[in-house]
Amino acid sequence: MKRSHDVLNDPFLNKGTAFTPEERKKLGLTGLMPPCVQTIDEQAAQAYAQFGKKASPIEKRHFLMEIFNTNRTLFYHLFNKHVVEFMPIVYDPVIAESIERYDELFVDPQYAAYLSINEAQNIEESLKNAANGREINLIVVTDAEGILGIGDWGVNGVDISVGKLMVYTAAAGINPNTILPVVLDVGTNREQLLNDPLYLGNRHQRVRGERYYAFVDQFVQAAETLFPKLYLHWEDFGRSNAATILNKYRDKIATFNDDIQGTGIISLAGILGALNISKQNITDQVYMCFGAGSAGAGITNRIYQEMLQHGLSEAQARAKFYMVDVQGLLFDDMDDLTPEQRPFARKRTEFANSEQLTTLEAAVKAVRPTILVGTSTQGGAFTESIVKEMAAHTERPIIFPLSNPTELAEATAKDLLTWTDGKALVATGIPTDPVTLNGVTYEIGQANNALIYPGLGLGVLASTARILNDTMISKAAHSLGGLVDPSQAGAAVLPPVSKLTEFSKTVATAVAQSAVDQKLNRQPIADIGQAIDQLKWLPQYGAFTDE
């Protein structure tokens, strides 16, 4: 049993001033802190007051991370009390600045595993060291090539794994003692980092090809061997690798790629919410995405799968999808299409002016979509002329500018509603204040993957599912999409982040039930609700003898 400063320096054990006199005596803590014994609520009130005095969002984040690094229970107790306020500070968009300045601000490795492709023989040892005897059930891993909308940030991207896991715990109650952030350091192509004397990662170009995939496979095999109950979450891999990795493992282990699947699920949930408001059918929609990378392709495929489930044939469904990227509308004669783009590329014979469809505006005019989703990271790409052209041909255009952070969003909710006289059904990728127009206040749903992936993971873990399949994913989207109140004027197409913990349980229940119905559970599950409740961790101090 740890004692004295070893207890205070362990964030999973430390209670700070909440240690009782008896605990202080037993653990050799007498005299190591002020004599006052505080409750966790008193500690949280004190910390929140200090938080409010920080001048900038990044300073607020640094303060919260100090608490995270020293006392996990207090951090999550505080996070749960202020989830709406803390979410953009702890995660997106402020985490982008934290990643960009990671080397400059580095203080604590935060119990992450840093796996170097140049020391692949140390993978198992590194994972054991990072786990430090803990039973790990959930890993979020990144190679940091496609961080948010800011690209390749090398080993700095470990912050994204840490941040995602914070949301898992805050939203779904995943025990922080059972989670592990991992970064695969395979180099970076960002010259700014390679030339920065403070950069902490491997100083060479990204390794690709056979050696890269062998390294990933070594990691997966080691993690699965060490942690047999593992749910593996892939985050912010580049478009050249993300789908390849997911497709290799998705039918073998319980695994999930948030950029491909998570963004697709939340976008589908938002579209279902929008159609619930407009009273339209998904099979009548014409879908266009702008930005055909991992996220764009993942969303497109998820909506396509939904149309198949509604009875359309593959040919009928594919006829409703159009993908636009930097080269314009994607056609099947282009030689640079990814495997994920190719099924949705169009034939030039469909258009009399195919050679001219090299811009989003030209594509919108030619196709007349009813749904427009942006994952392009091109700020302001959804212009007034494009939006008005779309609105001229559909009564309730569904428009989701999902790119983040803020400066990369394709449009603002206010502009979209103004340009369509309030008819657009909007979700954004960033937190957005309500918009008042013509006497109606429009709540803006945030297509925040945090509404989906924590509950998804909780459902997989609670059900002991062997894999996560499309049926479970569809159930997750429908469980969230059905929570919209279409009778309310200006209703959001997605539920608010303020009810994150409630919705996470709703999603988890749907996912776990689907796993059991499909007989994918590795252990008998008599009661889904009980299995979920037993797994959930609450940020409360217990007697030290119980820890």
Side-chain angles (χ1 to χ4, degrees), residues 167-189:
V167 180
Y168 266 110
T169 297
I174 305 296
N175 190 331
N177 204 42
T178 66
I179 63 181
L180 182 66
V182 174
V183 61
L184 304 180
D185 187 355
V186 299
T188 177
N189 293 344

Side-chain angles (χ1 to χ4, degrees), residues 386-439:
I386 288 174
V387 171
K388 286 187 172 179
E389 172 67 24
M390 184 180 174
H393 303 287
T394 181
E395 180 65 22
R396 299 300 305 270
I398 298 172
I399 309 177
F400 291 2
L402 300 184
S403 293
N404 57 65
T406 304
E407 62 270 17
L408 302 181
E410 288 82 5
T412 67
K414 182 177 181 180
D415 281 344
L416 294 175
L417 288 165
T418 300
W419 296 336
T420 62
D421 197 28
K423 294 179 180 178
L425 294 160
V426 179
T428 56
I430 55 175
T432 303
D433 291 333
V435 176
T436 300
L437 183 69
N438 299 328

Side-chain angles (χ1 to χ4, degrees), residues 428-477:
T428 56
I430 55 175
T432 303
D433 291 333
V435 176
T436 300
L437 183 69
N438 299 328
V440 177
T441 297
Y442 296 86
E443 300 292 335
I444 309 302
Q446 184 186 358
N448 187 334
N449 292 14
L451 293 173
I452 283 287
Y453 72 79
L456 198 71
L458 178 59
V460 170
L461 291 171
S463 67
T464 70
R466 297 191 303 274
I467 60 171
L468 170 64
N469 63 19
D470 283 341
T471 301
M472 296 159 71
I473 287 172
S474 179
K475 293 293 186 183

Side-chain angles (χ1 to χ4, degrees), residues 335-396:
D335 58 10
D336 57 350
L337 298 178
T338 67
E340 292 68 46
Q341 294 168 345
R342 190 162 293 282
F344 301 103
R346 311 301 300 212
K347 295 186 179 300
R348 291 192 183 274
T349 53
E350 298 176 43
F351 302 92
N353 63 336
S354 65
E355 298 298 329
Q356 299 172 20
L357 303 182
T358 58
T359 66
L360 176 62
E361 185 162 7
V364 168
K365 287 181 178 179
V367 171
R368 296 182 177 179
T370 61
I371 300 174
L372 180 60
V373 173
T375 59
S376 67
T377 67
Q378 293 188 25
F382 293 174
T383 63
E384 182 175 359
S385 59
I386 288 174
V387 171
K388 286 187 172 179
E389 172 67 24
M390 184 180 174
H393 303 287
T394 181
E395 180 65 22
R396 299 300 305 270

Side-chain angles (χ1 to χ4, degrees), residues 26-246:
K26 178 178 181 179
L27 298 171
L29 299 174
T30 301
L32 299 188
M33 65 188 73
C36 177
V37 176
Q38 293 181 300
T39 66
I40 195 168
D41 286 317
E42 289 171 335
Q43 289 177 321
Q46 184 182 48
Y48 186 66
Q50 294 179 61
F51 171 85
K53 295 176 182 178
K54 304 302 177 182
S56 66
I58 194 68
E59 287 181 287
K60 291 177 184 290
R61 189 177 193 281
H62 292 162
F63 174 73
L64 291 179
M65 294 308 295
E66 289 177 11
I67 299 174
F68 177 80
N69 292 337
T70 56
N71 186 334
R72 293 286 201 272
T73 305
L74 176 57
F75 172 83
Y76 286 112
H77 186 85
L78 194 59
F79 196 168
N80 282 0
K81 282 179 172 288
H82 307 282
V83 64
V84 175
E85 184 178 6
F86 282 12
M87 184 67 76
I89 302 294
V90 166
Y91 193 61
D92 187 34
V94 180
I95 198 171
E97 182 180 351
S98 176
I99 289 169
E100 291 171 343
R101 300 176 61 188
Y102 181 80
D103 310 306
E104 168 195 344
L105 302 171
F106 179 83
V107 174
D108 190 292
Q110 295 163 348
Y111 282 75
Y114 298 78
L115 307 183
S116 169
I117 195 168
N118 302 322
E119 299 175 358
Q121 73 279 5
N122 295 333
I123 288 177
E124 185 170 339
E125 179 185 359
S126 299
L127 291 173
K128 282 182 179 178
N129 290 341
N132 195 29
R134 296 178 293 134
E135 180 182 2
I136 302 300
N137 295 331
L138 171 62
I139 285 177
V140 173
V141 59
T142 186
D143 76 350
E145 185 176 7
I147 295 291
L148 300 170
I150 60 176
D152 178 357
W153 280 90
V155 80
N156 296 18
V158 69
D159 252 6
I160 210 76
S161 295
V162 174
K164 281 285 181 182
L165 288 167
M166 287 177 176
V167 180
Y168 266 110
T169 297
I174 305 296
N175 190 331
N177 204 42
T178 66
I179 63 181
L180 182 66
V182 174
V183 61
L184 304 180
D185 187 355
V186 299
T188 177
N189 293 344
R190 186 175 290 274
E191 292 297 324
Q192 173 188 343
L193 296 178
L194 294 175
N195 296 326
D196 184 350
L198 295 179
Y199 181 56
L200 299 173
N202 286 326
R203 292 175 181 272
H204 55 69
Q205 295 289 307
R206 282 188 171 271
V207 174
R208 300 199 183 278
E210 185 176 336
R211 184 183 170 205
Y212 171 86
Y213 288 117
F215 178 60
V216 172
D217 200 51
Q218 283 179 269
F219 157 68
V220 173
Q221 290 187 35
E224 286 288 314
T225 300
L226 291 171
F227 315 122
K229 298 179 182 179
L230 183 65
Y231 176 58
L232 182 57
H233 172 138
W234 307 90
E235 186 68 30
D236 285 348
F237 283 71
R239 70 162 67 182
S240 63
N241 294 318
T244 301
I245 292 171
L246 176 64

